[in-house]
């Protein structure tokens, strides 16, 4: 109305998409904007992230890689105790307890976790790992190993089980446990032999190629999976394992379009971990959900988590499932969006809208909009339809608070009841409150430095 009134007076008007900053953030925004460290700190954070080359160098059990012992379990998202866990995480922990032989029947694990004397829960992120959906990792599970050759730093992720009734979606039926045992006894050792024979595989480069081939590396990994299979297939065939075992592994990986997700995630974490602990930086280095809480970590505030309630995704459902069947958002897989792909790069993967909902114009608009809340772009991950502009890189807490634009995540949806499995996929954003909380912590540190 204001614009129309001015135009009626024959005055030129330029319309802009703008709204006031988030409530209660004005003073903190002013403080952080005036921080003399901020500009250089953010430039350094982005550079250190982009300098990382993530190489797939191995596959090994979690007990060996992470020092997990019997009764210790990792999970997705920020820290949480059993009493607050949501259905999918509970189901995955129950299944993992049975898989590890702590109980005979997964249902018996409830009492085990309620007592808490023989088990321990810890976020994957606290051990240099990431896990999709429930993200549960137990000692006997095999994991991908990603390494940056320049620094020797490593990150880890479990092997991908596929879609539907799988542990990461909270399912724990006999066929779920049978698949996990096959992955432990056959697939893991076979992949370990093949990756060692192939030599380091450049996951960062594969991610760049995926964006040229219609993947966005969160909910669409078809091209990435096939490229990984191309690199490993000759070595799988030449392995010491029986031919039938090799054929079964080739069929499983080739028929699991999401297999590469579990390489993409630790590759993104490896890059983002390089940007941690830079005083004055407002860059987000992790977004993660445990099914109850959504948490972020910021470079300039160390390992502190800023949390709020996980949100329900808006999307498409499988079969007769509907919104009432879905659990709030869960998983460490938002590390892909934190790195600038996934929901940030939907313009590269228009077919993704058939899986998560929305339209192709929506996908294009989202990728453009995410550039308003990021610090730079990644030239190694160009998006063809955006004139090969690099993927938006480095979510800026202050930009989110200033514009009110929330990071866009595309995600799978787990059933809210333990044991159900996947019920759909959709689009979701973090709870808005966590960004002002992170901004306030950054402002507090800025003021403390100024007074010192």
């Amino acid at each position: 109305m204001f614009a129309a009134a001015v135009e009626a007076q024959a005055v030129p008007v330029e319309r802009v998409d703008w709204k006031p900053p988030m409530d209660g953030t004005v003073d903190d925004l002013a403080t952080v904007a005036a921080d003399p460290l901020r500009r250089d700190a953010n430039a350094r954070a982005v550079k250190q992230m982009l300098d990382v080359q993530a190489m797939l160098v191995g596959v090994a059990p979690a007990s060996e890689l992470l020092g997990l012992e019997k009764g210790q379990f990792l999970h997705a998202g920020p820290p949480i105790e059993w009493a607050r866990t949501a259905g999918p995480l509970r189901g995955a922990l129950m299944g993992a307890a049975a898989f590890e032989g702590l109980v005979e029947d997964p249902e018996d694990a409830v009492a085990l976790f309620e007592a808490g004397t023989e088990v321990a829960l810890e976020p994957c992120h606290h051990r240099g790992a990431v896990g999709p959906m429930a993200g549960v990792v137990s000692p006997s599970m095999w994991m991908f190993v990603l390494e940056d050759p320049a620094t020797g730093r490593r990150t880890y992720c479990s092997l991908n089980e596929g879609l539907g009734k799988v542990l990461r979606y909270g399912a724990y039926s006999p066929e779920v446990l049978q698949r996990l045992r096959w992955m432990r006894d056959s697939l893991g050792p076979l992949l370990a032999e093949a990756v060692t024979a192939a030599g380091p595989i450049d996951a960062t480069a594969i991610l760049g190629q995926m964006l040229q081939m219609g993947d966005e590396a969160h909910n669409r990994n078809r091209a990435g999976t096939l490229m990984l299979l191309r690199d490993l297939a000759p070595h799988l065939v030449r392995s010491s394992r029986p031919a039938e075992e090799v054929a079964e592994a080739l069929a499983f990986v080739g028929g699991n379009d999401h297999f590469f997700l579990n390489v993409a995630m630790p590759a993104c974490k490896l890059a983002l971990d390089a940007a941690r602990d830079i005083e004055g930086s407002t860059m987000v280095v992790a977004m993660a959900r445990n099914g109850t809480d959504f948490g972020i970590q910021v470079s300039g505030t160390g390992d502190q988590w800023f949390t709020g309630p996980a949100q329900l995704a808006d999307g498409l459902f499988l079969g007769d499932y509907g919104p009432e069947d879905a659990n709030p958002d869960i998983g460490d897989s938002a590390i892909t969006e934190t790195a600038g792909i996934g929901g940030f790069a939907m313009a590269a993967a228009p077919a993704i809208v058939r899986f998560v909902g929305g339209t192709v114009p929506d996908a294009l608009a989202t990728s453009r909009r995410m550039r308003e809340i990021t610090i730079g772009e990644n030239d190694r991950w160009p998006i063809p339809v955006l004139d090969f502009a690099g993927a938006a890189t480095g979510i800026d807490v202050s930009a989110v608070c200033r514009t009110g634009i929330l990071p866009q995540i595309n995600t799978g949806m787990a059933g809210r009841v333990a044991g159900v499995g996947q019920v759909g996929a959709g689009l979701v954003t973090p709870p808005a409150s966590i960004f002002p909380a992170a901004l306030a912590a950054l402002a507090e540190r800025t003021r403390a430095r100024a007074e010192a």
Side-chain angles (χ1 to χ4, degrees), residues 236-253:
L236 290 168
V237 172
R238 296 190 190 104
S239 75
S240 62
R241 314 290 289 195
E244 185 58 36
E245 202 170 319
V246 173
E248 189 176 8
L250 286 168
F252 177 77
V253 176

Side-chain angles (χ1 to χ4, degrees), residues 287 294-296 298 306-309 397 401 406 430-439:
M287 294 194 296
F294 191 119
I296 62 171
V298 181
F306 302 94
T307 63
V397 165
C401 292
L406 295 172
S433 60
I434 60 180
F435 293 95
L439 181 72

Side-chain angles (χ1 to χ4, degrees), residues 161-349:
E161 311 158 79
L163 295 175
K165 281 190 174 295
V166 290
L167 189 82
R168 73 178 189 275
Y169 278 99
Y172 52 79
S173 57
E175 61 266 31
V176 173
L177 299 180
Q178 182 179 354
R179 185 188 305 111
L180 288 174
R181 295 185 188 105
W182 170 75
M183 295 173 74
R184 176 195 63 197
D185 299 335
S186 178
L187 182 63
L190 182 53
L191 287 173
E193 191 173 335
V195 169
T196 299
I201 296 172
D202 193 337
T204 300
I206 291 178
L207 284 165
Q209 295 175 59
M210 290 167 66
L211 295 177
Q212 316 298 305
M213 299 171 70
D215 284 353
E216 40 68 73
H218 187 168
N219 275 292
R220 186 176 173 88
N221 285 272
R222 183 170 296 180
T225 296
L226 293 176
M227 282 189 281
L228 178 64
L229 191 59
R230 174 198 63 188
D231 290 343
L232 292 180
H235 306 286
L236 290 168
V237 172
R238 296 190 190 104
S239 75
S240 62
R241 314 290 289 195
E244 185 58 36
E245 202 170 319
V246 173
E248 189 176 8
L250 286 168
F252 177 77
V253 176
N256 177 2
D257 289 344
H258 277 63
F259 193 77
F260 189 80
L261 170 64
N262 292 41
V263 175
M265 288 172 55
C268 290
K269 178 170 175 57
L270 189 63
L272 286 158
D273 277 0
R276 284 179 174 269
D277 301 317
I278 299 175
E279 187 66 31
S281 174
T282 58
M283 179 173 152
V284 177
V285 293
M287 294 194 296
R289 316 86 96 201
N290 56 35
T292 302
D293 307 314
F294 191 119
I296 62 171
Q297 292 179 313
V298 181
S299 175
T301 55
D303 294 331
Q304 183 176 358
W305 286 99
F306 302 94
T307 63
Q311 308 292 293
L312 280 169
D314 180 17
L316 305 177
F317 292 89
L318 303 175
D320 295 330
Y321 292 122
E324 66 282 358
D325 301 305
N327 196 79
D329 198 20
I330 187 171
D332 287 333
S333 54
I335 197 71
T336 55
E337 280 83 5
T338 318
I341 47 181
F344 278 48
M346 287 198 296

